């Protein structure tokens, strides 16, 4: 069949343009509608159309009305191919033109497993491995399409997709009528798939227990376990926690991709965390001191341990002995002895720290000071010539002081040992692929404690949502922080047990940047959004 003038024009348009521009131009030539990447359905679900068919003919079904299916295609000039597709579909199609890269991205996720999870959940499917030592234990898309039990395939697929999506945890939550599987990505829980029937709940939990070598018969007590799987040629550790609730047992699977972390860890530095240059200089000054305590604080999941490791990386050298004690060891550090806490065997933070001191270390990292004994030993270590890196749970740098004093640490010893305190949070970063200027309403300014009249020239940004960020508008996270260096006046105020409000006023007068100020700087520089910083901090009075 000879090509028409329009078809020749379309062929010429396949080169020399950006993908979106090319698609718009092709749509104009053919007189068809143009569909942007963000308008394409992430879950193209039209009965009878398989993901294999979509991939073979490179199209995305959009809708079906009156027996006509609207499909997004990259090039309507492929007439023979599209005619063949209509024959296979058994109905007419209405073509719209979309960027090829956008279509291929959706199809790739369909093929590799993202939407396979939804397909499997309808009828079901997964597998496991205790040690994942051989390729037979590898979780791959081919295996997930195999003949294994539907429940096995479901669990495998959920795990595979969680790793692909950079999730830190998988949550399996039971309700009165159904079971929900969620991923925690960049600190936020997102549904992994449509809810599944409650009748499958016990089988899913049992499968996870088998993988973790837990007691299947025990349903009324919490259980903790672990397992390993090989995914994409990487051996990944998973920690499992089972907790009974009123609707049955819930499970949380923590993903510890140590090989991926090791690759990131090789590039880990204070600058890579997104900290401000002035703050980095202050931290470096304190970590280069020969002794004392460097203390990081914040809630669980705020990146405290990562920050301490980044600080240690700045001063790590073969001439000094570094020992860490953690629960668990999250990164593998060269030139260091790393000790995992094992309370079942009697190896607690306090007992491990005592033994560590007998090995004559120069630098010590204590994963967490969670009891008075550990806190007192850590303080004494800092006073006797060791540089101690540690964490404690508190909301800000001032609250840390009260937390340690309440643990029974002698105030004079504490202030003498402490070099500095860093309090931090993680905020989601705007996706670079879909970043755009944002309009901020008067209500949003008021909620954020900002004067709109003073910020009329300030440009704010947000993410429109795209394939890269899973349509959330955010991709990755950045640290916000407040940093307290203990000066002699502040030390004296702590020893005198002055009210924390006075200490806070003094540190503010000395120029300390608080968490909210750090968060606002991230907004003004276009790193994150007002909505995001309002989620993790609050406007100060």
């Amino acid at each position: 069949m000879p090509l028409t003038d329009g078809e020749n024009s379309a062929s010429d348009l396949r080169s020399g343009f950006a993908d979106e521009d090319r698609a718009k131009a092709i749509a104009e030539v053919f007189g068809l509608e143009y569909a942007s990447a963000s308008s394409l359905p992430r879950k193209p679900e039209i009965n009878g159309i398989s993901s294999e068919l979509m991939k073979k003919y490179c199209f995305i079904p959009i809708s079906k009305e009156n027996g006509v299916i609207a499909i997004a295609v990259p090039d309507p000039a492929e007439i023979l191919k599209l005619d063949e597709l209509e024959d296979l579909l058994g109905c007419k199609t209405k073509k719209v033109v979309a960027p090829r890269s956008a279509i291929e991205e959706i199809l790739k996720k369909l093929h590799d497993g993202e939407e396979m999870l939804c397909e499997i959940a309808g009828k079901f499917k997964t597998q496991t491995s205790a040690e994942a030592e051989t390729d037979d234990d590898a979780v791959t898309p081919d295996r997930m399409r195999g003949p294994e039990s539907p429940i096995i395939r479901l669990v495998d697929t959920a795990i595979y997709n969680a790793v692909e999506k950079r999730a830190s945890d998988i949550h399996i939550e039971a309700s009165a009528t159904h079971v929900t599987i969620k991923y925690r990505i960049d600190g936020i829980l997102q549904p992994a798939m449509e809810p599944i029937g409650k009748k499958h709940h016990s089988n899913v939990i049992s499968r996870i227990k088998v993988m973790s070598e837990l007691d299947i018969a025990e349903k009324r007590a919490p259980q903790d376990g672990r397992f390993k799987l090989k995914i994409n040629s990487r051996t990944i550790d998973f920690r499992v926690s089972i907790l009974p609730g009123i609707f049955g047992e819930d499970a949380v699977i923590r993903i510890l991709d140590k090989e991926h972390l090791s690759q990131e860890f090789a590039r880990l530095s204070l600058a890579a965390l997104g900290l401000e240059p002035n703050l980095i200089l202050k931290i470096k000054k304190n970590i280069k001191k020969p002794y004392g305590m460097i203390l990081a604080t914040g809630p669980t999941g705020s990146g405290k341990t990562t920050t301490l490791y980044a600080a240690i990386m700045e001063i790590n050298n073969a001439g000094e002995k570094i020992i860490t004690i953690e629960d668990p060891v999250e990164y593998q550090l060269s030139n260091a002895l790393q000790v995992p806490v094992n309370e079942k065997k009697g190896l607690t933070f306090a007992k491990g720290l005592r033994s560590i001191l007998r090995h004559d270390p120069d630098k010590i990292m204590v994963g967490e000071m969670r009891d008075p004994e550990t806190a007192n030993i850590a303080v004494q270590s800092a006073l006797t010539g060791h540089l101690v890196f540690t964490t404690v749970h508190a909301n800000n740098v001032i609250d840390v002081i009260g937390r340690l004093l309440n643990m029974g640490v002698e105030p004079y010893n504490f202030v003498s040992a402490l070099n500095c305190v860093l309090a931090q949070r993680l905020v989601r970063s705007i996706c670079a692929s879909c970043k755009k200027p944002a309009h901020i309403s008067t209500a949003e300014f008021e909620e954020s404690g900002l004067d709109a009249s003073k910020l009329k020239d300030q440009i704010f940004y947000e993410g429109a949502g795209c394939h890269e960020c899973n349509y959330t508008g955010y991709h990755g996270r950045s640290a916000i922080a407040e940093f307290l260096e203990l000066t002699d006046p502040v030390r004296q105020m702590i020893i005198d047990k002055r009210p924390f409000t006075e200490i806070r006023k003094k540190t503010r007068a000395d120029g300390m940047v608080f968490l909210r100020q750090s968060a606002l700087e991230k907004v003004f520089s276009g790193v994150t959004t007002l909505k995001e910083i309002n989620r993790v901090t609050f406007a100060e009075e």
Side-chain angles (χ1 to χ4, degrees), residues 389-463:
F389 297 80
T390 188
T391 73
V392 68
H393 287 291
N395 289 324
N396 54 59
V397 295
I398 306 300
D399 287 349
V400 166
I401 299 167
R403 181 73 192 277
L404 285 174
L405 295 180
N406 287 336
M407 282 187 184
V409 178
E410 173 61 39
Y412 183 82
N413 289 342
F414 168 57
V415 298
S416 300
L418 193 60
N419 290 347
C420 60
V421 186
L422 176 77
Q424 74 174 58
R425 303 287 189 277
L426 294 176
V427 294
R428 291 180 293 169
S429 301
I430 298 171
C431 176
S433 299
C434 60
K435 186 175 181 178
K436 66 171 186 174
H439 170 71
I440 307 299
S441 66
T442 303
E444 287 178 288
F445 277 119
E446 291 176 354
E447 181 187 350
S448 304
L450 299 174
D451 186 345
S453 63
K454 294 180 180 179
L455 296 169
K456 57 185 178 181
D457 295 327
Q458 174 68 45
I459 301 176
F460 295 87
Y461 293 91
E462 65 182 0

Side-chain angles (χ1 to χ4, degrees), residues 163 231 234-237 255-262:
V163 173
I231 298 177
R234 300 199 308 267
T235 299
I236 299 174
D237 292 323
I255 301 171
L256 298 172
D257 190 352
K258 291 186 178 181
E259 291 183 32
H260 178 66
L261 287 174
S262 296

Side-chain angles (χ1 to χ4, degrees), residues 24-80:
K24 289 177 183 177
I26 291 174
E28 186 176 349
V29 167
F30 281 88
L32 299 174
E33 292 181 25
Y34 167 74
S36 64
S38 59
S39 69
L40 294 177
R42 287 179 55 230
K43 300 178 180 179
E45 297 173 353
I46 294 180
N47 292 339
I49 302 180
S50 67
S51 58
E52 286 80 6
L53 189 67
M54 294 182 212
K55 186 176 183 185
K56 181 178 179 180
Y57 289 91
C58 193
F59 77 98
I60 298 292
I62 299 174
S63 62
K64 185 175 183 178
E65 293 182 11
N66 301 322
V68 177
I69 298 179
I71 61 173
V73 297
D75 189 351
E78 298 174 328
I79 294 175
L80 293 176

Side-chain angles (χ1 to χ4, degrees), residues 292-394:
M293 181 180 287
I294 313 296
L295 206 158
T297 188
T300 301
S302 61
K304 304 184 296 294
T305 303
T306 303
T307 298
L308 290 185
Y309 264 110
I312 292 173
M313 288 289 286
E314 300 279 353
I315 57 173
N316 187 12
N317 63 74
E320 294 183 315
K321 190 174 186 68
I322 299 174
I323 305 180
T324 77
I325 180 165
E326 306 164 70
D327 184 21
V329 174
E330 294 188 17
Y331 299 103
Q332 294 179 1
L333 181 64
S334 60
N335 300 322
L337 169 61
Q338 294 176 273
V339 181
V341 165
N342 190 336
E343 295 191 359
K344 290 181 179 179
K345 300 293 185 180
L347 179 54
T348 62
F349 275 111
K351 189 171 182 179
L353 187 50
R354 281 201 182 91
S355 297
I356 284 172
L357 293 174
R358 300 188 193 107
H359 281 247
D360 188 28
D362 297 290
K363 310 285 192 295
I364 303 169
M365 177 176 157
V366 182
E368 183 184 345
M369 292 194 298
R370 48 173 80 156
D371 59 78
E373 187 179 6
T374 304
N376 277 290
I377 298 171
V379 168
Q380 289 299 323
S381 301
L383 288 172
T384 53
H386 305 91
L387 187 62
V388 179
F389 297 80
T390 188
T391 73
V392 68
H393 287 291

Side-chain angles (χ1 to χ4, degrees), residues 41 93 202 209 211 244 319 336 338 393 462 498:
T93 59
S202 61
K209 287 181 178 179
M211 296 169 75
Q338 294 176 273
H393 287 291
E462 65 182 0
R498 304 300 301 169

